[in-house]
Amino acid sequence: QVQLKESGGGSVQAGGSLRLSCAAPPGYLSGAYCMGWFRRAPGKGREGVAALYTSSGTTYSADSVQDRFTISQDNAKNTIYLQMDSLKPEDTGLYYCAAAPTYHGRDCYVGFPVKSWGQGTQVTVSS
């Protein structure tokens, strides 16, 4: 288990932007891990949004957020980000940061098998 701490959620109008942050332990992003974001919309199950292989920086995004959301990492700050632009009401939900070890990124993809979860941060998009 790794401690992950999210921040950056909030309420915006449709078309607006938010940036989520997820802080990991020092040095974590220099290793071979899959990190990413999941969300749970009201009345729905948890779904993968984006993922990142920390060793290479390779990123993956769900079709529903392609070209609107960008996942990135800052090794110096031990933090990954989810930049969310052109937000829609259907993006509303509780967003979770997640992480897991991975062997050469083979099991790093959107919705990857998670070993550690953050506590979640709420994103609300109004129409």
Side-chain angles (χ1 to χ4, degrees):
Q1 288 286 329
V2 173
Q3 186 173 10
L4 304 170
K5 184 171 177 59
E6 302 106 332
S7 60
S11 297
V12 294
Q13 290 190 326
S17 298
L18 283 172
R19 187 177 78 158
L20 305 183
S21 301
C22 174
Y28 191 81
L29 271 63
S30 298
Y33 297 97
C34 190
M35 294 190 70
W37 295 92
F38 291 69
R39 67 185 179 189
R40 187 191 299 275
K44 296 186 177 181
R46 189 152 50 188
E47 65 170 345
V49 175
L52 179 151
Y53 177 39
T54 60
S55 180
S56 67
T58 303
T59 62
Y60 310 88
S61 297
D63 290 343
S64 59
V65 304
Q66 194 78 37
D67 298 328
R68 297 189 300 120
F69 291 10
T70 303
I71 187 172
S72 62
Q73 67 185 96
D74 185 333
N75 286 24
K77 295 183 178 180
N78 306 302
T79 299
I80 69 165
Y81 302 96
L82 185 68
Q83 177 67 41
M84 304 185 294
D85 298 319
S86 302
L87 281 160
K88 303 176 180 180
E90 51 263 42
D91 294 319
T92 293
L94 192 57
Y95 282 69
Y96 298 89
C97 180
T102 178
Y103 181 69
H104 295 298
R106 291 180 181 177
D107 51 354
C108 190
Y109 46 84
V110 174
F112 65 94
V114 175
K115 295 296 185 184
S116 300
W117 293 97
Q119 80 284 0
T121 185
Q122 179 67 35
V123 172
T124 302
V125 185
S126 58
S127 58

